[in-house]
Amino acid sequence: MKPLNSPLEIGVRALVLLSESHPDALDLAQLALLDHAVLHSGEFDGPPSLHPDLPARSGELGLKRTLLEQALLVLIRADLAELEADGTGLVYRATERGPAFVDVLEAPYILRLRERAEWAVHQWAPDNDVRATTRSLLTALPSVTPRSFGGHHG
């Protein structure tokens, strides 16, 4: 089993993010960017990063969507998340079971992940436009321009 960035690991991170934004929903682009911000929070003036800074880390953002979709399907099958359509398209939301499941996880990594998810969802995301920020990261621009994240945030 591939331990790093496997659908299981990404699914746990996605569930933590969805639980932090609960009851608000997030779309796939928002989840991918929030996951990146949680892992590399030190780059965005947040808490120290969970994962080390690697030269090719902007590439991981582009590859993450497929794994994230697989991970979200696992969460949906486990009734920890749900997929729905809203006025902007398809969005994901933690079910009532999602935050309860996250609450029983006690590993040190999960505690650090939850701290960074709280920072990303409530402090960092509201000031950032998901498309502009993603574009900046993918083109490896040195700075990220704050803008309205828009849509779904808690």
Side-chain angles (χ1 to χ4, degrees):
M1 179 177 168
K2 179 180 155 188
L4 294 176
N5 285 321
S6 67
L8 177 60
E9 180 188 0
I10 292 175
V12 169
R13 293 194 316 249
L15 182 58
V16 169
L17 287 165
L18 289 170
S19 295
E20 187 60 43
S21 69
H22 188 264
D24 293 332
L26 298 167
D27 66 26
L28 188 61
Q30 289 170 316
L31 276 167
L33 183 60
L34 284 167
D35 184 63
H36 186 81
V38 163
L39 295 179
H40 304 289
S41 50
E43 290 181 37
F44 302 102
D45 297 323
S49 297
L50 276 177
H51 289 192
D53 292 339
L54 301 172
R57 68 187 166 277
S58 63
E60 78 183 43
L61 185 60
L63 300 173
K64 187 174 305 217
R65 289 178 67 102
T66 301
L67 288 172
L68 185 55
E69 287 176 317
Q70 293 170 0
L72 288 163
L73 286 175
V74 171
L75 295 177
I76 291 167
R77 286 185 194 123
D79 195 31
L80 298 171
E82 58 192 7
L83 174 64
E84 58 190 59
D86 73 359
T88 64
L90 296 177
V91 293
Y92 297 88
R93 178 184 323 275
T95 63
E96 294 300 322
R97 293 180 58 189
F101 182 84
V102 170
D103 283 344
V104 301
L105 302 175
E106 296 179 356
Y109 179 84
I110 298 296
L111 298 176
R112 292 191 312 270
L113 176 62
R114 291 181 72 176
E115 290 169 356
R116 282 146 186 87
E118 180 181 4
W119 164 81
V121 169
H122 300 294
Q123 294 175 30
W124 183 77
D127 294 331
N128 287 284
D129 175 271
V130 69
R131 286 181 181 78
T133 304
T134 300
R135 189 171 35 255
S136 294
L137 290 169
L138 291 175
T139 58
L141 294 176
S143 64
V144 178
T145 306
R147 296 201 178 118
S148 173
F149 191 65
H152 311 283
H153 58 344

